[in-house]
Amino acid sequence: MRMADLAFTEYEALVREKSPIVVIPCGALEQHGPHLPLATDAMIPTMLAERFVPAFGGIVAPTFTYGVRSQPKSGGGNHFCGTTSLWGSTYALMVADIVEEFGRHGVKKIVMLDGHTENQPFLVEGVERALVNLRRDGITDVRVIRLAYYMAIDAKLQATLFPDGLLSWDLEHAAVMETSVMMALSPSHVRLDRIPDDPPADFPIYETFPIDPAPIPCHGVLSSAKSATAEKGRAVVDTLVAEFSDLIPRAFR
Ligand SMILES: [Zn+2]
């Protein structure tokens, strides 16, 4: 059930009568190599949410497609053409405004389903600010869950994705996991002939400002995605959809 497709009267009736869980997918518009779309971090949580909300009669709200500034060690950095980001402070205020609006309209259960690492602290700040503001207005019964979908990839899924061992989750940007999941969820969005297969990025332990582009591969992928397959992606999608179908309604009980 997509909120954006509903008439306000239908949405209002649902909120009043069913107190549904509303899932807000949170992503980014960030380069994901030459083989994946810029909106990959937004598309994955959106497509997952559309698959698991029917299990509990939930609603998928429009996705936050712009995210917090990309960093070299997690997303390649903000200097890539098309990586179109918000400052964390702007993002936190945007999240706060939207969560507050949902709270004011009577939504009690909200899930922020995140697909972009850099969003994390600012997403939390936005949610906390919204709850403080709502409380001031006497609305005290809104609960929000922040859930980064990739945190649910357990040891078993990790072994499926990386039969020869995982190099580093930090270097998985646009690599095996995201490429496999996109192959499963939306194969037409993956340019199979353009998957780079280079050695992993070699970053120093420190960070340099202004950003030093030298250790960042020019194609933006931080480790090889060559071993991505749709089968691996389906294993992740099926496991996460089953897990979230059960975990999310339980978290609100
Ligand atoms: Zn990503």
Side-chain angles (χ1 to χ4, degrees):
M1 180 88 69
R2 291 197 190 108
M3 178 187 177
D5 295 341
L6 297 172
F8 94 89
T9 45
E10 295 162 337
Y11 176 71
E12 186 176 40
L14 269 174
V15 170
R16 300 261 178 284
E17 289 156 27
K18 306 258 191 225
S19 191
I21 297 171
V22 173
V23 179
I24 308 178
C26 302
L29 199 59
E30 179 189 50
Q31 69 78 18
H32 272 69
H35 64 298
L36 291 177
L38 285 159
T40 294
D41 283 356
M43 293 167 83
I44 294 176
T46 306
M47 290 189 278
L48 288 174
E50 284 169 353
R51 280 167 171 74
F52 67 69
V53 296
F56 48 81
I59 295 175
V60 183
T63 303
F64 277 118
T65 303
Y66 297 98
V68 173
R69 274 172 84 84
S70 177
Q71 295 301 315
K73 289 185 181 183
S74 42
N78 216 60
H79 55 294
F80 284 91
C81 186
T83 296
T84 310
S85 308
L86 295 166
W87 291 106
S89 46
T90 311
Y91 186 80
L93 289 174
M94 188 177 73
V95 168
D97 284 354
I98 298 305
V99 171
E100 248 186 272
E101 291 286 84
F102 278 102
R104 278 186 218 294
H105 296 157
V107 174
K108 309 292 180 205
K109 306 161 194 165
I110 300 169
V111 179
M112 310 302 290
L113 187 70
D114 194 15
H116 178 63
T117 326
E118 287 89 336
N119 288 344
Q120 284 184 43
F122 304 98
L123 196 47
V124 171
E125 181 161 326
V127 166
E128 290 194 309
R129 185 186 280 260
L131 295 187
V132 166
N133 291 344
L134 286 167
R135 233 173 276 136
R136 257 182 220 143
D137 292 348
I139 300 169
T140 57
D141 52 357
V142 175
R143 282 190 69 209
V144 182
I145 286 168
R146 184 188 72 82
L147 172 61
Y149 80 85
Y150 47 85
M151 295 305 285
I153 295 174
D154 60 7
K156 194 174 159 219
L157 276 181
Q158 191 171 302
T160 305
L161 284 166
F162 311 102
D164 301 325
L166 169 69
L167 187 66
S168 153
W169 274 116
D170 292 339
L171 296 176
E172 261 301 300
H173 176 70
V176 179
M177 188 276 282
E178 286 180 317
T179 305
S180 299
V181 169
M182 285 297 284
M183 283 171 160
L185 287 173
S186 189
S188 65
H189 279 106
V190 186
R191 290 76 165 159
L192 293 175
D193 55 331
R194 294 192 213 152
I195 297 178
D197 183 22
D198 292 324
D202 185 18
F203 290 107
I205 55 166
Y206 53 83
E207 286 158 349
T208 311
F209 301 95
I211 298 297
D212 173 15
I216 307 162
C218 59
H219 50 58
V221 180
L222 300 184
S223 60
S224 175
K226 247 331 189 242
S227 67
T229 67
E231 206 182 342
K232 289 178 176 182
R234 271 192 294 275
V236 173
V237 170
D238 292 350
T239 305
L240 266 45
V241 167
E243 186 174 342
F244 295 165
S245 299
D246 174 58
L247 177 100
I248 291 173
R250 265 197 295 126
F252 285 106
R253 242 170 249 152

